[in-house]
Amino acid sequence: MNIGDISYDEKLPWGTLYGIRPAKVAEKLLIKGESVQSVHETLVKTYYASPDRAALCIETAQATLALKETLAPRDIALYLGIPFCPTRCAYCSFVSNSVAKSFALIEPFMDTLMQEIKEMSKIIDELNLRIISVYIGGGTPTSLNESELGSIMTALEQSFDLSSLREYTVEAGRPDTITQEKIEVMKQHGAKRICINPQSMSLDVLTAIGRAHSPEDVYNAVELIQQTNTALNMDIIAGLPNDNLIGFCNTLDTVIGFKPENITVHTLSLKRGSRIVIENTSIPTGEEVGEMLDYSSIRLRESGYAPYYVYRQKYISGGYENTGWSLPRYEGIYNICMMEEICSVFALGGGGVTKIVTPDNRIERVFNAKYPNEYISMTEKMKEKMRSVKRYAISI
């Protein structure tokens, strides 16, 4: 079949832009001085992206370039991974252990993490790097109790110079793990953005994916966070089991009604090892997912949000994407830096990946152990890891 005979805007929304980071193509063309119209034409005619995806690509590339203009050569982001969750979701193959099943691992995990924080701080201090963003993710960091969470945040502020921070995010994640005490700890230690990930506001969908929280838990968590005047990010997923267009639209409308500063619309990715794949669970079709995403784009734009980063995954439903949306001036610095690789990210904790961006735009990666048991045993290899980080980072 001649490639010109295929309607790519209908069959393959991203055309031949198969990579994880499609906005990089638009970014390079814009840097060369091409007009927005010319870039859009190239993405549609050369890469066979749909017009809507081409526009999305350009908008997120523009957000990346705007942030890049504000970065100094030695600016970095700091990521800390907490690989524990209350339960494992049906769609998840992520590096996370149920707290109920691995409670005994938390204390030795914390011990190893404290050592890693100490060793990493020496490198960042010695190389005179400036931390502009801290992101505590997972897993679900608020699976830890307030004392454990407070200990980690105290260690960060005592070990690193955080005086240049422009953003401090804690991915609380599960609404049922969020308490007044934990929010107070996060606020006291300087968190400026807290993430709640309801994924859906339908109880049937939440039950199908193995979430223990209810829609009411989301309302309660949002109220607690917004009382502190902390910026709020909320994640939802298009294409979940038991969901449909009406249910997804209700979820999005409800989330928009909370007026969070950021909303991330994910598309279900069918990951090997997830319960959805293993059990061959019925999910919405690619066409239905496309309708969900089309609705989200219209509703978010008319509600004042703009896309600021986009990325794709293998086996993503319908061949679509994950998109971060924000109100003006609330773009997530860490999200752009991590996905578009415009500054180095130094990673701590379970599953963390340090990404060093060299002056000649090479990416060097140093991986932490994925699972808590492996991470705990990393104590013996800590110096080796730090030597690798320093060897790459010395070029920044």
Side-chain angles (χ1 to χ4, degrees):
M1 179 182 289
N2 189 308
I3 198 167
D5 295 334
I6 301 174
S7 179
Y8 275 87
D9 57 337
E10 293 179 5
K11 302 299 182 184
L12 295 172
W14 286 96
T16 58
L17 290 173
Y18 291 117
I20 295 173
R21 301 172 176 84
K24 280 195 171 186
V25 176
E27 182 185 337
K28 290 177 181 177
L29 295 173
L30 291 170
I31 289 173
K32 287 181 179 179
E34 294 195 24
S35 68
V36 169
Q37 181 178 351
S38 174
V39 175
H40 190 273
E41 185 174 330
T42 297
L43 294 176
V44 173
K45 292 186 176 180
T46 302
Y47 292 93
Y48 304 98
S50 72
D52 287 348
R53 264 63 200 179
L56 176 61
C57 206
I58 292 169
E59 288 179 276
T60 53
Q62 289 173 322
T64 297
L65 293 174
L67 174 60
K68 196 173 183 178
E69 285 292 318
T70 72
L71 297 178
R74 307 186 78 78
D75 286 351
I76 65 168
L78 189 67
Y79 173 84
L80 191 151
I82 307 296
F84 297 96
C85 278
T87 60
R88 184 174 176 180
C89 294
Y91 55 79
C92 188
S93 63
F94 206 60
V95 180
S96 60
N97 271 33
S98 164
V99 170
K101 293 181 179 179
S102 57
F103 180 81
L105 297 177
I106 292 179
E107 184 175 348
F109 171 85
M110 295 276 290
D111 291 341
T112 304
L113 178 59
M114 294 303 174
Q115 180 184 347
E116 189 181 18
I117 288 173
K118 181 179 178 181
E119 295 298 325
M120 187 71 87
S121 68
K122 293 177 184 177
I123 294 175
I124 290 176
D125 183 59
E126 182 180 342
L127 297 179
N128 195 30
L129 303 176
R130 187 172 74 156
I131 301 172
I132 60 166
S133 174
V134 170
Y135 192 102
I136 301 178
T140 306
T142 43
S143 294
L144 304 180
N145 62 40
E146 58 269 22
S147 175
E148 292 159 344
L149 186 60
S151 294
I152 291 171
M153 298 182 80
T154 296
L156 290 177
E157 63 193 19
Q158 290 180 348
S159 302
F160 298 99
D161 179 1
L162 302 181
S163 60
S164 298
L165 273 189
R166 296 166 57 182
E167 172 187 88
Y168 194 151
T169 302
V170 180
E171 188 176 353
R174 304 288 188 94
D176 49 321
T177 68
I178 299 171
T179 65
Q180 181 71 55
E181 293 76 17
K182 293 176 187 178
I183 291 173
E184 289 175 358
V185 165
M186 289 184 265
K187 184 71 173 178
Q188 288 168 6
H189 288 283
K192 301 299 183 184
R193 176 187 280 109
I194 298 175
C195 303
I196 297 177
N197 305 333
Q199 315 303 31
S200 173
M201 293 299 290
S202 164
L203 185 58
D204 286 345
V205 175
L206 293 173
T207 301
I209 64 175
R211 286 270 177 147
H213 76 263
S214 67
E216 288 72 25
D217 291 326
V218 178
Y219 283 95
N220 294 335
V222 169
E223 182 178 4
L224 288 175
I225 291 171
Q226 291 185 330
Q227 286 174 355
T228 68
N229 295 317
T230 303
L232 175 63
N233 177 87
M234 300 185 74
D235 287 12
I236 62 174
I237 300 177
L240 290 173
N242 276 11
D243 209 358
N244 53 36
L245 179 60
I246 293 174
F248 175 83
C249 293
N250 177 67
T251 288
L252 180 66
D253 290 343
T254 303
V255 167
I256 289 174
F258 292 131
K259 299 181 180 179
E261 286 73 12
N262 298 81
I263 298 175
T264 306
V265 181
H266 294 278
T267 300
L268 178 66
S269 178
L270 300 174
K271 300 174 183 178
R272 290 185 300 175
S274 69
R275 184 156 54 85
I276 288 177
V277 171
I278 292 171
E279 298 178 0
N280 196 27
T281 304
S282 177
I283 57 174
T285 65
E287 182 179 355
E288 290 172 314
V289 171
E291 292 174 346
M292 294 175 184
L293 297 178
D294 288 345
Y295 180 82
S296 70
S297 179
I298 294 169
R299 282 288 288 119
L300 286 162
R301 290 180 190 281
E302 68 185 21
S303 301
Y305 295 86
Y308 73 94
Y309 83 108
V310 63
Y311 71 100
R312 305 183 65 236
Q313 293 170 280
K314 287 183 177 180
Y315 314 118
I316 197 166
S317 289
Y320 290 103
E321 70 283 329
N322 308 302
T323 307
W325 298 78
S326 76
L327 295 175
R329 299 181 300 281
Y330 283 97
E331 296 83 0
I333 293 173
Y334 168 80
N335 289 330
I336 297 177
C337 288
M338 185 64 180
M339 294 313 307
E340 299 305 326
E341 300 170 331
I342 58 174
C343 80
S344 297
V345 177
F346 286 68
L348 306 158
V353 180
T354 295
K355 297 171 70 173
I356 307 296
V357 182
T358 67
D360 58 352
N361 288 320
R362 287 182 297 107
I363 309 295
E364 303 287 358
R365 294 174 173 82
V366 181
F367 296 84
N368 272 10
K370 293 183 178 181
Y371 300 100
N373 268 324
E374 295 173 350
Y375 177 78
I376 292 163
S377 66
M378 209 178 84
T379 302
E380 304 167 5
K381 298 181 179 179
M382 189 73 72
K383 293 189 183 300
E384 179 184 337
K385 180 222 168 166
M386 292 303 166
R387 280 195 296 269
S388 296
V389 171
K390 185 175 180 180
R391 183 171 70 252
Y392 296 134
I394 204 166
S395 66
I396 298 177

